[in-house]
């Protein structure tokens, strides 16, 4: 796969659009593994499902691998173009990323065999049914008394 | 009784303004306002003419080409001013900045102050940020409500707004300064340049601008990558309890 670079061509275009704004200062980017950029993500938990969403701009659907276990969701995705993130001394110290990589620990247990995923616009949504779905609890009490208003 | 010094300073070193239109974008849902404002600054080649500083600001300076700069910028040319924050505004900072921006706008006899932002929406989440967004508008007086009719934004009939833009509208009303907020349906926690395009398309007729949004759409992927760190900071600033912590929302 031919890998272009957002820093040459693409990155220059973006710099023209955003001259200096939003340039990362290094910071948390130092904490990331070599060439594996952590995608933005969110986890939503409902009564029946856990939905994990990853923002992976610049990848094609066929270059995304999602792996689920009972309590984790992992993503590996190869970028169409590498992304150069400017650290301090941008040209010398910048980091180049060619893929996304992230593992999320889920807050509840899920059934990975029944999961579904959909990909559009560089966003992947993984929906997994919960294993620990709550059961409806019947409430007993003096309903009749209240209904009669006595 | 001793007067308290201002906790937020708006420093404008640009040429004198005459009834400018002012656009304000701070990091919130989908970074819609900041992305839109930055794009307008670049497309219209606006020049930096000031900054906003505050005791409440986190200890952040932005470094561009080895030079330290304040993270809240004021850009302008002719009678258009754009105010952009590169840091999320949380807690007291949020309403103190809104208050001083309103007072400063009044001092320039601004024609209209327009806040631009995103409003997280289920429809936008389900569309996975694809395509354009619906834009709704809120005005604080008859002048702004009439102006909004030219924008193509739908009226935000009834509902509640919280956060920076609610404060901005409130303080603009206190100053008797015409103001409006445009909210584009957006992704909540991921950068949403598509929603920013919808904002620009509403601003063009509203303020008689000619900003071509094509390049923004074309570069959306790279912008999403470049702004991910600011998005992360914005998410953190808005947790856990959004209204108390300065996060914004609007709902009907």
């Amino acid at each position: 796969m031919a890998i272009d670079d957002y820093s040459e061509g693409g990155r220059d275009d973006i710099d023209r659009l955003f001259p200096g704004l939003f340039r990362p200062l290094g910071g948390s980017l130092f904490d990331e593994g070599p060439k594996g950029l952590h995608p933005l993500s969110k986890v939503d938990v409902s009564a029946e499902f856990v939905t994990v969403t990853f923002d992976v701009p610049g990848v094609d659907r066929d270059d995304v691998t999602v792996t689920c276990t009972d309590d984790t969701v992992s993503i590996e995705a190869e970028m169409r173009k590498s992304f150069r993130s400017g650290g301090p001394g941008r040209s010398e110290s910048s980091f180049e990323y060619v893929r996304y990589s992230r593992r999320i620990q889920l807050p509840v247990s899920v059934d990975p065999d029944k999961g579904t995923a959909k990909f559009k616009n560089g966003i992947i949504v993984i929906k997994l049914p919960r294993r620990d779905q709550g059961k409806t609890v019947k409430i007993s009490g003096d309903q009749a008394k209240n209904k009669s208003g006595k | 009784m001793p007067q308290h010094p201002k906790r937020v300073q708006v420093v404008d070193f640009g040429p004198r303004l005459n009834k400018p239109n002012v656009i304000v974008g701070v990091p919130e849902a989908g970074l819609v306002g900041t992305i839109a404002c930055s794009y307008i600054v670049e497309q219209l080649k606006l020049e930096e003419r000031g900054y906003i500083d505050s005791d409440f600001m986190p200890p952040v300076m932005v470094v561009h080409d080895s030079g330290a700069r304040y993270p809240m910028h004021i850009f302008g040319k002719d009678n258009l001013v754009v105010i952009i924050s590169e840091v999320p505004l949380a807690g007291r900072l949020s309403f103190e900045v809104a208050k001083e921006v309103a007072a400063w706008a009044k001092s320039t006899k601004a024609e209209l102050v327009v806040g631009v932002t995103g409003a997280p929406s289920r429809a936008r989440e389900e569309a996975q940020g694809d395509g354009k967004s619906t834009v709704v508008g809120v005005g604080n007086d008859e002048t702004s409500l009439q102006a909004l009719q030219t924008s193509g934004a739908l009226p935000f009939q009834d509902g509640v707004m919280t956060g920076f833009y609610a404060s901005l509208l409130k303080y603009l009303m206190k100053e008797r300064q015409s103001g409006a907020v445009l909210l584009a349906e957006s992704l909540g926690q991921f950068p949403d340049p598509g929603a920013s395009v919808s904002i620009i398309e509403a601003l063009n007729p509203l303020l008689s601008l000619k900003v071509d949004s094509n390049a923004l759409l074309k570069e959306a992927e790279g912008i999403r990558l470049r702004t991910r760190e600011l998005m992360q900071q914005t998410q953190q600033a808005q947790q856990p309890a959004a209204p108390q912590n300065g996060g914004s929302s609007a709902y009907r």
Side-chain angles (χ1 to χ4, degrees):
Chain A
M1 176 181 154
I3 295 178
D4 299 327
D5 188 337
Y6 277 107
S7 69
E8 292 168 8
R11 170 64 182 266
D12 288 348
D13 288 345
I14 295 161
D15 278 351
R16 278 203 306 278
L17 298 180
F18 298 91
L21 293 179
F22 312 133
R23 187 166 295 158
L25 297 178
S28 62
L29 293 176
F30 284 114
D31 301 332
E32 291 162 0
K35 303 215 170 199
L37 190 68
H38 280 187
L40 291 172
S41 64
K42 67 178 186 122
V43 180
D44 297 307
V45 181
S46 70
E48 291 176 69
F49 295 98
V50 175
T51 306
V52 182
T53 311
F54 291 105
D55 188 34
V56 285
V59 307
D60 293 321
R61 190 187 68 176
D62 292 345
D63 294 324
V64 182
T65 304
V66 174
T67 312
C68 303
T69 68
D70 287 0
D71 59 359
T72 65
V73 172
S74 304
I75 186 169
E76 295 284 334
E78 195 173 348
M79 296 173 177
R80 277 195 302 276
K81 301 174 180 180
S82 67
F83 169 62
R84 190 161 291 164
S85 165
R90 182 177 155 206
S91 56
E92 295 79 22
S93 311
S94 61
F95 293 86
E96 187 180 28
Y97 299 96
V98 296
R99 63 184 171 86
Y100 294 98
S101 179
R102 187 155 193 187
R103 190 176 81 139
I104 301 251
Q105 184 75 41
L106 302 178
V108 295
S109 180
V110 296
D111 184 348
D113 295 329
K114 293 183 180 163
T116 59
K118 58 178 183 172
F119 178 92
K120 186 159 75 173
N121 191 37
I123 292 177
I124 186 155
V125 181
I126 301 139
K127 196 171 179 182
L128 299 151
R130 288 176 64 163
R131 276 198 201 282
D132 62 343
Q133 282 181 48
K135 300 232 167 118
T136 307
V137 178
K138 194 173 178 185
I139 303 170
S140 60
D142 47 359
Q143 187 182 25
K145 190 176 169 185
N146 285 343
K147 264 189 176 173
S148 64
K150 290 174 188 171
Chain B
M1 195 171 141
Q3 266 202 321
H4 291 290
K6 278 188 180 176
R7 307 301 296 269
V8 173
Q9 297 88 41
V10 179
V11 179
D12 178 10
F13 45 75
R16 189 186 168 91
L17 292 160
N18 181 27
K19 298 185 178 176
N21 285 312
V22 181
I23 307 172
V24 185
V26 306
E28 282 193 356
L31 302 180
V32 173
T34 33
I35 292 172
C37 283
S38 300
Y39 184 76
I40 291 167
V41 165
E42 176 52 20
Q43 287 290 300
L44 300 182
K45 300 183 172 24
L46 306 187
E47 307 213 333
E48 193 152 8
R49 57 173 294 140
Y51 61 87
I52 298 174
D53 188 25
S54 172
D55 294 348
F56 301 117
M57 199 83 85
V60 173
M61 289 296 274
V62 180
V63 182
H64 294 312
D65 295 326
S66 302
R69 289 156 69 184
Y70 291 92
M72 288 196 71
H73 314 257
I74 305 173
F75 294 89
K77 192 165 84 175
D78 302 328
N79 278 334
L80 178 66
V81 173
V82 175
I83 298 175
I84 308 174
S85 177
E86 288 193 71
V87 287
L89 306 182
R92 189 168 170 189
L93 177 62
S94 170
F95 62 78
E96 293 283 356
V97 168
K99 187 174 170 182
E100 291 306 320
V101 165
W104 173 81
K106 182 67 178 178
S107 75
T108 68
K109 299 185 170 59
E111 192 81 28
L112 185 65
V113 178
V114 187
V116 290
T117 189
S121 108
R122 187 178 292 272
R124 190 75 182 151
E125 301 276 350
E126 281 169 5
Q128 293 175 238
D130 202 19
K132 290 184 183 175
S133 306
T134 302
V135 178
V136 296
V138 187
N140 69 353
D141 62 9
E142 278 304 313
T143 309
S144 58
L145 286 169
Q146 273 198 339
L148 278 172
Q149 288 177 10
T150 65
S151 70
L154 299 174
F156 183 167
Q157 294 286 11
D158 300 293
V160 175
M161 284 178 69
T162 64
F164 173 80
Y165 291 96
S167 297
L168 183 63
L169 278 180
K170 181 179 90 172
Y171 288 113
L172 289 170
M173 283 171 84
K174 280 193 174 181
E175 297 281 354
R176 296 180 186 279
Q177 166 65 56
S178 286
V181 175
L182 292 173
L183 303 110
E185 279 189 314
S186 74
L187 301 172
Q189 297 184 34
F190 301 153
D192 192 344
S196 303
V197 168
S198 301
I199 286 288
I200 289 168
E201 289 176 353
L203 283 171
N204 273 337
L206 178 64
L207 303 180
S208 303
L209 304 177
K210 288 179 182 166
V211 180
D212 179 358
S213 55
N214 283 330
L216 180 52
L217 270 183
K218 198 175 145 202
E219 299 300 336
E221 282 185 350
I223 292 163
R224 282 161 63 185
L225 273 161
R226 291 282 307 282
T227 54
R228 55 182 283 287
E229 198 170 356
L230 178 59
M231 188 76 252
Q232 261 177 338
Q233 291 163 6
T234 305
Q235 284 178 19
Q236 285 160 9
Q238 293 183 349
Q239 286 171 348
Q244 289 84 349
N245 225 359
S248 292
S249 65
Y251 53 88
R252 289 181 271 187

